[in-house]
Amino acid sequence: MADADAEAAFLSSMQAMNEAGNYEATSGASEQQADSYSSDEYDPAQAADLPPDLSDDNTPLNQTSLVGASQHDTLPFTSMSQQSPVSADSILTTSVAQRSSTATPSARDHSRPLPVDAPNLPNGLSTPNAYPNHGTPSRAIPSHGGEVVRSTANGVLDTNGDPNAPASRSVSPAPFLQLSTEDVSIQNSPLVHNSADMIQNDVPDTVPNPSSVLPDSGPVSQTGSTSVPTNIPQAQLIVLPQSPTSLQNITPSTAAPRARLPHDKIGILEDRIKEDPRGDLDAWLSLIGEHKKRGKIEDARNVYERFFKVFPSAAQQWVAYAQMENEAQNRNAMENVFGRTLLEIPDVQLWSMYLDHIRRHNNTTTDTSGAARQTIYQAYDLAAQQVGIDKESGKIWSDYVQFIKSGPGIIGGSNWQDQQKMDLLRKTYQRAICIPTQSTNTLWKEYDVFEMGLNKITGRKFLQDQSPAYVSARSSNIELQNITRELRRSSLPNLPPALGFDGDVEYMKQLDIWKRWIQWEKDDPLVLKQEDVAAYRDRIVFVYKHALMAMRFWPEMWFDAAEFCFLNNLETLGDTFLSDGIAANPESCLLAFKRADRLELTTANEEGDESAIRRGAAVREPYDKVLDALYDLIAKGKTREIQDLARVEAQFASNDKQPGSDRQRDDEDEDTNEEERESMEKRKALQIEAIKKVTAIQTRLLSKTVSHAWIALMRAMRRIQGKGKVNDPIGGSRQIFTDARKRGRCTSDVYVASALIEFHCYDPEATKKIFERGLKLFPDDEGFALEYIKHLVANNDHTNARVVFETTVTKLAQKAETVHKAKPLYQFFHDFESRYGEIVQIIKLEKRMSDIFPEDPTLTLFSRRFIQQDFDPTAIRPLISPATQARPKALPSLETLPFVQQTPPTRFDPRPNSPKRALPFEDSDTDAGRPRKLARGESPLKGAAGRRLDQQKRNRQPHEVPQLDGHALPQPPPPPALPREVLFLLSIIPKAETYLATKFRAEEMTSAPRDGIDATDAANAAGPI
């Protein structure tokens, strides 16, 4: 009842402030007179009106394409019939100028077609703007009803007939308190049934904002009027838009997706992709393969375009896409693929396919002008620049060298063409042998033959100059092969498995290999940092790009790549890494925060309000994106929960309706049927509880993440715009706090952060109001109460600190499931009272803690008073008599403690296994399996060493055997040898004298029953030794 009164007071105060514009401070359950509050001061309880123009932009929240993507760098192709031969250095002169400028550095969208003015690629044909005879638009995935499913900013799925209409970030254009209450009361609304969204263990972990939980019902629910009953408290008069489904009436037709027919493979795969576009790679590839198998090239092409919006750097699939176009004899589309990918994805397989395409369509046999050879040469030179440093690029270098050798001119000739060929070949060799590849040794041998065949004197000089680089490359290749031995270089990224689940160890192992490769490059084994800094940076960036192909969904890898670029004067590339990383991981706070800090640091800080507004808008963009993604995850989690619950309901309903079910068997015993029904209900309840529990845990974690994202944005806007003013262009930190409360899903951390910002920077009075409001919204949140108490204690307001403490712990102690939450409060206040309170208060508090937490020892509770900086003086035992207390332990001597054998002894000496004889079995007791090998006699030793050895042998000889009439008496056979396991056990057991406990005389204990003595008397008689 107290919670309802507090909520009613809060909502009524919000409504009053909407109308009057001032703040009414409340304390407890009573209302105080409103304080005068100017428009420039902070109003933490400002009306929760949500203006229609709350959105900062019109970007759809579920947008997966890269924001602000520029035009693609395209490969220039020279025309064999229209262009003259050009140099290889001019091949990229026009590609950079083609890039369209944007406001911020952005990722490149690999799914866009080439621009109209794109330069020509080196195969004699210009690249068209679109595919011939078809377009390449990105197609939205429709739902079963034909509508496009999108996610609104408040975390609720929104179905709209217009797929191009962006989802508004606002919940409703009407204020929160003006939502329609027609025919719906708060008791029957899904907010009550879905109480797990906001309350876990009767503790609200988020602000109870119904607008962030329920879907928007449209204009009707926003403008309808309502007649409110008079017998309902004011806190329950706020009625929400009617939800289409609730947890109490879930049916398969309303919540679960419509089932597909088994033969509808394409539809099933589309549903899987729609449900999990980033995680279900098998569904993507199966769908593409299904279209190819049916000969639907156009449909396969459309799926490829959708696929590359999610996985733009999947080089393997780009190769498959180009092969599909090549098999379809669609040359222009194939060249379009090359133009969109070659300069963006440094993949050896992709470039090899491109080189094969160039050589196929440029016939050097029939080329009389030399243009075709020049085109092929330019393509090889460009491939060497882009992927020549890859450790798998040896074949490209070898083909490059062979292509130069096949050109006109004679090696060793004297005319200009021969000399030009030799210079070009020497230059290519010297470039190739400095790179650690699998063909480095082969290329060096060829280079040696080439130089020594021309001139041995100059050849030795050239070889001597290039030998250090070759040796470094050869040794580096060996090291690199050892590092990457278990690396799977795949360009199809997988989502990282959660720790403790299937695949997590393998994923982390691959991640560690990539990190070790990157660190190996940074250690500079090729000694490039001092001589060629550009080559050193290029190698590291190249490895980062390949690592990000496989680890696309690991935000830390994007962060490391961007940070390396920023530290090495590659700011543009670093911004590109951040933009691409955010596009791949929109829910990553790490990348969003780094991007926002980068914008805040690099944006010009000028005087005036316009500069503050411009900087604030630029910095807020990354935060809005990550918040949209997190709210969308919350909405998907709730939708998944509803669908899972519907499946459970449908499953158990189908079991009840089966023809042979126990429910329809009249001849069965009623008691048995009742027990089975109860068992089925229990299983159903357990499944429902498990589903709700998993969703609640995920929702709580996402709500915590959302709250800290709002806190980071609040701090950033305070640095840029100050405290600001609500509903003003310069909103500052106060506008962010208002937006966070309106959007919902915020924990108490947002209130704590806002209150402390106000206290340390602006208005201490606003701090008190925020804490009081938060205490009413989160009455069972021990973390918020603890922060409030710490704040009051730090400001010497001990009276109010005790009031807050008593109020909170009393409320928590009323319920058994919330008692444990009071322990941090008791511990903090016990520490405070121990330092600054009276002894009577300390004892009373300890008595209360002992009654509430009886499992805590009294000694621990008492000693906690005196702990200071993790030092407990009550646990110290000082050294009084060093001679007695610090006497060193006696080390065991060799005579008393024999050598302890660590491994079981073998029965026979190990012998090498001969290929001519079978290896004897270890457990065999016969001599048949032993190797028949005669023992060799020992070599006699001369001198003193021989005499000592002979004396030792004599001492080891057995004693004289008893004889009778000159004949030795027969001796009993020796006992059988113990198994080696028993020998090993005996060797590690300590001696009996090392056993210091009470020991009994075994012989007297065993003789007692024989002599007729009572067992008790025998034990007393035996006594301890």
Side-chain angles (χ1 to χ4, degrees):
M1 189 64 185
D3 296 344
D5 294 339
E7 185 66 12
F10 167 57
L11 295 174
S12 61
S13 63
M14 292 176 63
Q15 187 174 11
M17 283 181 292
N18 280 336
E19 300 171 357
N22 54 10
Y23 174 59
E24 295 181 4
T26 59
S27 177
S30 62
E31 302 237 357
Q32 300 178 357
Q33 188 176 1
D35 299 333
S36 59
Y37 213 71
S38 63
S39 60
D40 295 334
E41 294 177 338
Y42 181 46
D43 187 0
Q46 185 69 25
D49 296 344
L50 192 60
D53 56 349
L54 179 64
S55 300
D56 296 335
D57 51 30
N58 295 326
T59 304
L61 301 181
N62 60 343
Q63 173 176 327
T64 57
S65 60
L66 306 185
V67 179
S70 60
Q71 295 287 352
H72 280 287
D73 301 335
T74 55
L75 287 177
F77 277 78
T78 58
S79 176
M80 182 171 62
S81 59
Q82 298 178 2
Q83 296 185 5
S84 59
V86 294
S87 63
D89 298 332
S90 63
I91 193 165
L92 295 175
T93 55
T94 59
S95 61
V96 178
Q98 299 292 337
R99 301 177 183 176
S100 60
S101 61
T102 56
T104 58
S106 61
R108 297 169 174 84
D109 188 358
H110 301 291
S111 63
R112 296 186 178 183
L114 288 176
V116 178
D117 55 350
N120 295 332
L121 291 165
N123 67 344
L125 294 176
S126 60
T127 304
N129 184 32
Y131 293 110
N133 302 327
H134 60 81
T136 58
S138 61
R139 187 175 64 182
I141 303 176
S143 64
H144 299 300
E147 297 177 348
V148 177
V149 179
R150 297 180 295 113
S151 177
T152 58
N154 64 345
V156 181
L157 293 180
D158 181 23
T159 56
N160 197 329
D162 185 8
N164 299 321
S168 174
R169 183 177 291 110
S170 61
V171 178
S172 170
F176 175 72
L177 295 177
Q178 297 177 6
L179 293 175
S180 172
T181 59
E182 185 175 41
D183 299 332
V184 179
S185 64
I186 193 70
Q187 293 90 341
N188 298 327
S189 67
L191 177 62
V192 177
H193 303 308
N194 292 339
S195 58
D197 301 346
M198 299 170 295
I199 300 178
Q200 303 300 332
N201 297 328
D202 297 330
V203 179
D205 63 336
T206 61
V207 177
N209 186 355
S211 60
S212 65
V213 182
L214 300 178
D216 195 352
S217 298
V220 177
S221 62
Q222 300 168 2
T223 58
S225 59
T226 303
S227 59
V228 181
T230 58
N231 58 349
I232 300 177
Q234 186 175 2
Q236 300 180 2
L237 295 182
I238 300 177
V239 186
L240 310 174
Q242 179 111 23
S243 175
T245 58
S246 64
L247 294 183
Q248 290 187 355
N249 56 357
I250 291 178
T251 60
S253 61
T254 57
R258 187 176 61 184
R260 297 274 189 176
L261 296 177
H263 64 273
D264 187 9
K265 296 182 180 180
I266 293 180
I268 294 174
L269 294 174
E270 289 284 3
D271 291 342
R272 288 172 55 186
I273 292 173
K274 180 180 178 181
E275 183 179 358
D276 190 9
R278 284 189 291 175
D280 202 344
L281 271 172
D282 294 336
W284 283 107
L285 302 181
S286 299
L287 182 58
I288 294 173
E290 189 68 23
H291 285 308
K292 289 182 179 179
K293 186 173 65 174
R294 300 184 182 187
K296 298 181 179 180
I297 303 300
E298 182 65 25
D299 292 338
R301 188 179 292 117
N302 292 332
V303 177
Y304 267 124
E305 294 298 332
R306 289 160 47 198
F307 175 83
F308 291 131
K309 289 182 179 179
V310 184
F311 307 97
S313 59
Q316 298 174 2
Q317 295 308 307
W318 282 110
V319 171
Y321 191 13
Q323 290 176 349
M324 183 189 74
E325 299 293 356
N326 186 34
E327 293 173 359
Q329 302 297 324
N330 197 341
R331 179 179 175 183
N332 291 337
M334 184 179 181
E335 293 172 357
N336 193 7
V337 171
F338 290 143
R340 294 161 60 185
T341 58
L342 288 179
L343 296 179
E344 304 297 334
I345 305 176
D347 183 72
V348 173
Q349 185 181 4
L350 188 62
W351 276 94
S352 298
M353 185 177 183
Y354 164 70
L355 293 174
D356 294 340
H357 173 75
I358 293 298
R359 299 192 68 168
R360 173 186 175 186
H361 294 282
N362 291 271
N363 192 352
T364 58
T365 304
T366 59
D367 179 33
T368 57
S369 62
R373 179 170 292 278
Q374 184 67 20
T375 300
I376 298 174
Y377 168 76
Q378 293 176 13
Y380 269 113
D381 187 73
L382 184 59
Q385 294 177 17
Q386 296 294 321
V387 296
I389 58 178
D390 195 297
K391 70 184 187 70
E392 306 294 338
S393 62
K395 186 175 184 305
I396 292 181
W397 283 110
S398 299
D399 294 343
Y400 191 11
V401 170
Q402 295 300 324
F403 173 75
I404 296 175
K405 288 182 178 180
S406 64
I410 300 175
I411 298 177
S414 58
N415 58 23
W416 66 270
Q417 194 175 30
D418 301 335
Q419 295 293 329
Q420 186 182 43
K421 181 177 181 179
M422 288 187 296
D423 294 340
L424 183 59
L425 193 57
R426 179 180 290 111
K427 178 183 177 181
T428 305
Y429 270 128
Q430 292 178 357
R431 290 173 60 188
I433 61 177
C434 298
I435 300 172
T437 63
Q438 69 273 25
S439 301
T440 301
N441 294 336
T442 303
L443 292 172
W444 172 259
K445 294 177 181 179
E446 294 178 3
Y447 179 55
D448 182 274
V449 173
F450 167 75
E451 292 291 358
M452 298 303 291
L454 294 178
N455 190 313
K456 292 186 178 181
I457 298 177
T458 58
R460 290 193 184 95
K461 180 178 180 301
F462 281 120
L463 293 175
Q464 185 178 2
D465 294 341
Q466 299 299 322
S467 179
Y470 159 70
V471 172
S472 298
R474 183 182 61 182
S475 59
S476 298
N477 181 54
I478 297 175
E479 295 179 11
L480 190 57
Q481 294 297 332
N482 293 332
I483 293 175
T484 61
R485 189 179 307 278
E486 299 181 1
L487 180 64
R488 292 186 291 103
R489 296 188 64 178
S490 174
S491 60
L492 288 176
N494 295 316
L495 289 171
L499 295 179
F501 289 84
D502 182 44
D504 61 331
V505 176
E506 178 64 24
Y507 190 92
M508 298 305 297
K509 181 179 180 181
Q510 294 296 313
L511 178 64
D512 180 68
I513 295 175
W514 281 112
K515 289 183 177 180
R516 286 193 284 118
W517 186 358
I518 294 172
Q519 186 59 44
W520 181 82
E521 293 288 353
K522 290 182 178 180
D523 293 340
D524 193 21
L526 297 177
V527 196
L528 298 173
K529 195 171 184 179
Q530 301 297 331
E531 300 176 358
D532 192 354
V533 181
Y536 168 76
R537 294 183 302 190
D538 290 344
R539 288 191 61 88
I540 298 177
V541 170
F542 182 84
V543 180
Y544 266 123
K545 289 182 178 181
H546 274 268
L548 290 172
M549 291 182 190
M551 301 291 165
R552 178 175 177 81
F553 302 121
W554 191 259
E556 287 81 355
M557 187 68 72
W558 292 98
F559 180 89
D560 293 341
E563 192 67 19
F564 172 80
C565 294
F566 293 145
L567 295 176
N568 290 272
N569 300 323
L570 300 173
E571 287 79 6
T572 303
L573 185 58
D575 292 334
T576 302
F577 274 132
L578 283 181
S579 300
D580 292 350
I582 292 175
N585 304 274
E587 66 285 338
S588 172
C589 291
L590 173 66
L591 299 178
F593 295 169
K594 180 62 178 179
R595 176 65 175 162
D597 287 352
R598 180 69 181 171
L599 292 174
E600 183 180 353
L601 184 64
T602 57
T603 307
N605 186 9
E606 302 174 356
E607 297 293 336
D609 295 343
E610 294 183 359
S611 176
I613 295 173
R614 176 175 49 81
R615 293 185 67 212
V619 172
R620 182 165 182 172
E621 180 186 0
Y623 288 105
D624 287 339
K625 290 181 180 179
V626 70
L627 286 170
D628 293 342
L630 292 174
Y631 278 111
D632 185 58
L633 285 179
I634 295 175
K636 290 181 179 179
K638 297 304 300 180
T639 304
R640 190 181 301 113
E641 178 190 19
I642 294 174
Q643 294 178 354
D644 292 342
L645 292 176
R647 291 190 184 99
V648 173
E649 294 284 353
Q651 178 183 358
F652 282 92
S654 62
N655 292 338
D656 292 341
K657 295 179 182 180
Q658 289 180 358
S661 64
D662 295 336
R663 187 182 298 266
Q664 296 181 1
R665 295 179 183 176
D666 298 335
D667 54 347
E668 291 290 339
D669 186 69
E670 293 296 334
D671 295 337
T672 306
N673 293 338
E674 186 66 25
E675 292 178 359
E676 292 183 357
R677 283 194 296 269
E678 291 179 359
S679 176
M680 184 178 298
E681 289 296 332
K682 289 181 180 179
R683 293 197 304 270
K684 175 182 174 182
L686 289 176
Q687 292 185 20
I688 292 177
E689 182 182 0
I691 293 172
K692 290 183 177 180
K693 186 177 295 185
V694 171
T695 305
I697 294 174
Q698 295 176 352
T699 303
R700 189 184 303 115
L701 179 61
L702 290 174
S703 298
K704 198 81 171 177
T705 308
V706 165
S707 301
H708 284 76
W710 281 114
I711 293 172
L713 177 57
M714 190 187 308
R715 293 171 179 171
M717 298 306 292
R718 183 203 62 79
R719 294 191 297 265
I720 298 173
Q721 298 179 348
K723 65 180 181 180
K725 186 177 179 182
V726 180
N727 297 328
D728 191 79
I730 303 180
S733 61
R734 296 179 174 179
Q735 181 64 54
I736 301 303
F737 180 50
T738 303
D739 294 344
R741 291 168 50 237
K742 290 176 182 178
R743 200 161 182 187
R745 289 295 179 188
C746 294
T747 62
S748 60
D749 301 317
V750 178
Y751 283 76
V752 174
S754 177
L756 295 180
I757 287 176
E758 291 293 334
F759 178 79
H760 290 287
C761 300
Y762 304 115
D763 188 5
E765 290 298 325
T767 301
K768 181 179 179 182
K769 297 174 183 179
I770 296 174
F771 271 122
E772 290 177 354
R773 182 55 48 82
L775 195 62
K776 292 182 173 125
L777 287 174
F778 308 98
D780 297 336
D781 191 340
E782 74 280 6
F784 179 81
L786 182 60
E787 292 297 331
Y788 192 12
I789 293 173
K790 288 181 179 179
H791 171 73
L792 293 174
V793 169
N795 289 277
N796 206 23
D797 192 356
H798 299 168
T799 303
N800 286 330
R802 287 187 172 89
V803 171
V804 175
F805 168 74
E806 293 294 341
T807 304
T808 306
V809 297
T810 302
K811 184 172 295 186
L812 293 176
Q814 292 176 356
K815 300 178 181 179
E817 61 270 12
T818 58
V819 171
H820 69 281
K821 294 186 176 182
K823 181 174 282 191
L825 299 175
Y826 275 108
Q827 291 178 349
F828 173 79
F829 223 79
H830 179 264
D831 181 69
F832 169 71
E833 293 288 359
S834 301
R835 296 169 187 261
Y836 314 111
E838 299 295 335
I839 185 64
V840 178
Q841 297 293 336
I842 298 174
I843 295 175
K844 287 183 179 179
L845 186 60
E846 289 181 353
K847 180 64 170 59
R848 293 175 60 186
M849 294 176 68
S850 299
D851 295 340
I852 298 176
F853 309 108
E855 68 276 3
D856 293 344
T858 306
L859 175 61
T860 303
L861 194 61
F862 176 79
S863 63
R864 191 179 295 152
R865 298 187 198 175
F866 312 100
I867 296 177
Q868 184 73 19
Q869 296 180 355
D870 298 333
F871 178 76
D872 185 6
T874 63
I876 300 301
R877 292 186 292 271
L879 190 64
I880 299 173
S881 175
T884 304
Q885 296 178 272
R887 187 167 51 198
K889 294 182 179 181
L891 298 176
S893 61
L894 296 178
E895 291 78 7
T896 59
L897 183 63
F899 173 74
V900 178
Q901 189 172 355
Q902 300 297 330
T903 57
T906 57
R907 187 175 301 177
F908 307 109
D909 294 335
R911 303 178 186 273
N913 186 19
S914 174
K916 298 181 180 180
R917 294 184 297 270
L919 180 65
F921 292 97
E922 193 175 31
D923 297 333
S924 177
D925 294 333
T926 62
D927 296 335
R930 300 183 184 180
R932 293 175 296 178
K933 188 174 182 180
L934 298 177
R936 188 177 58 182
E938 298 182 359
S939 300
L941 297 177
K942 299 180 181 179
R947 289 192 296 271
R948 285 195 299 269
L949 181 61
D950 183 66
Q951 183 64 30
Q952 292 176 2
K953 290 182 178 180
R954 292 180 180 179
N955 293 335
R956 289 198 300 266
Q957 287 181 356
H959 299 287
E960 294 183 0
V961 179
Q963 298 181 358
L964 180 63
D965 297 335
H967 300 283
L969 295 175
Q971 296 292 328
L978 295 176
R980 64 171 185 169
E981 290 79 6
V982 177
L983 294 174
F984 174 70
L985 178 61
L986 294 176
S987 65
I988 63 176
I989 294 179
K991 286 189 173 183
E993 53 265 21
T994 61
Y995 185 72
L996 303 179
T998 302
K999 293 182 291 185
F1000 293 90
R1001 296 182 179 91
E1003 61 277 4
E1004 296 185 11
M1005 291 291 295
T1006 56
S1007 63
R1010 183 179 66 248
D1011 299 337
I1013 304 176
D1014 185 69
T1016 305
D1017 297 337
N1020 295 332
I1025 297 175

